[in-house]
Amino acid sequence: MSQVIIHESWKNALKQEFSAEYWQELTAFVREEYSTKNVFPPAKHIFRAYDLCPLDQVKVVIVGQDPYHGPGQANGLSFAVNDGTKIPPSLANIFKEIQHDLEVTPHNSGDLTRWAKQGVLLLNSVLTVLAKNPASHKNKGWEIFTDQTIKAVNDNRTGIVYLLWGKYAQQKGQHIDREKNLVLESGHPSPFSAQLFHGKHHFSQANSYLALQGLEGIDWR
């Protein structure tokens, strides 16, 4: 499917996916959903994580599950919401951990474009969702595509930090070469498991590792 609008670096790395049978079925399903129902994020933002963070610029990968399903929330970046939108509980816990870990105060904005532009791939496993219906686009093919996205990073890059929070994200990281990258795992930052997330110092560890690669750390504010 040559007309997929996605950053050229990812288009090249994932080109085999766009001719796969599952992709044809997925795109037909997604187009029908967008044309007849209320689906998030806006169609132009489906591949926003890829467009803001080209493959050759990835430093950190943060894996989420599926987009927020409330109006005005999802913007194509995992855990992020549009500027001016109330910060969801999981992101609030992420900000709390950053403040505790790095002794800095995060900006009061849930739009994490500022991270993506520094090389943080904010990747959801499923890239679309029906309004008010979490996991509604699960098992339609997106998981295959995002598995291949992680594989593309693993095959083409080394010295990457993978932040895998919760069992779901950890399953997505099964094929990462842990000898050539840093994989940090913890509980999910949602209120239900935040006690297994806080105090892990993932953000300082990520920046220390990037420094060892001769790279500038992420400004996590």
Side-chain angles (χ1 to χ4, degrees):
M1 184 176 167
S2 58
Q3 67 268 38
V4 175
I5 300 173
I6 190 172
H7 191 276
E8 203 66 28
S9 62
W10 292 108
K11 199 169 192 177
N12 292 333
L14 297 168
K15 58 186 175 184
Q16 290 185 323
E17 305 309 303
F18 302 131
S19 58
E21 184 177 351
Y22 86 86
W23 182 260
Q24 310 306 318
E25 295 172 357
L26 171 63
T27 52
F29 166 77
V30 169
R31 282 184 180 137
E32 176 67 16
E33 290 284 280
Y34 271 93
S35 65
T36 60
K37 300 173 184 176
N38 191 14
V39 181
F40 300 126
K44 65 181 180 180
H45 286 161
I46 292 175
F47 298 110
R48 189 161 176 250
Y50 298 79
D51 294 333
L52 290 174
C53 188
L55 177 56
D56 61 350
Q57 294 178 27
V58 175
K59 295 179 180 179
V60 179
V61 179
I62 298 179
V63 178
Q65 198 156 343
D66 65 344
Y68 295 117
H69 53 87
Q73 291 183 305
N75 64 8
L77 306 177
S78 63
F79 293 101
V81 291
N82 288 315
D83 197 20
T85 302
K86 182 181 178 181
I87 294 174
S90 291
L91 184 55
N93 281 327
I94 291 169
F95 285 172
K96 286 178 186 176
E97 177 62 16
I98 289 170
Q99 188 161 9
H100 177 261
D101 185 10
L102 301 175
E103 297 183 347
V104 298
T105 301
H107 296 296
N108 188 30
S109 168
D111 183 0
L112 303 180
T113 299
R114 59 188 183 275
W115 294 0
K117 288 182 175 180
Q118 296 179 73
V120 182
L121 180 64
L122 293 156
L123 181 68
N124 275 319
S125 175
V126 176
L127 300 187
T128 56
V129 69
L130 192 61
K132 300 180 182 179
N133 196 344
S136 48
H137 287 183
K138 183 180 178 182
N139 297 328
K140 300 296 184 182
W142 280 129
E143 293 92 341
I144 301 171
F145 181 72
T146 52
D147 278 346
Q148 291 303 308
T149 299
I150 293 172
K151 185 176 185 297
V153 178
N154 187 66
D155 290 351
N156 291 282
R157 303 288 312 283
T158 58
I160 304 296
V161 181
Y162 294 85
L163 301 182
L164 307 179
W165 301 328
K167 291 181 180 178
Y168 188 91
Q170 288 156 22
Q171 290 171 355
K172 297 286 284 186
Q174 289 179 354
H175 304 297
I176 298 167
D177 186 338
R178 297 176 186 232
E179 297 294 319
K180 297 180 180 179
N181 304 281
L182 177 64
V183 179
L184 299 175
E185 299 180 343
S186 75
H188 193 276
S190 81
F192 301 105
S193 53
Q195 72 276 12
L196 302 174
F197 171 75
H198 288 306
K200 302 298 185 183
H201 302 283
H202 283 181
F203 301 97
S204 57
Q205 288 187 66
N207 280 356
S208 294
Y209 181 79
L210 293 173
L212 290 175
Q213 315 303 312
L215 297 172
E216 187 176 348
I218 307 299
D219 181 352
W220 290 109
R221 292 174 293 176

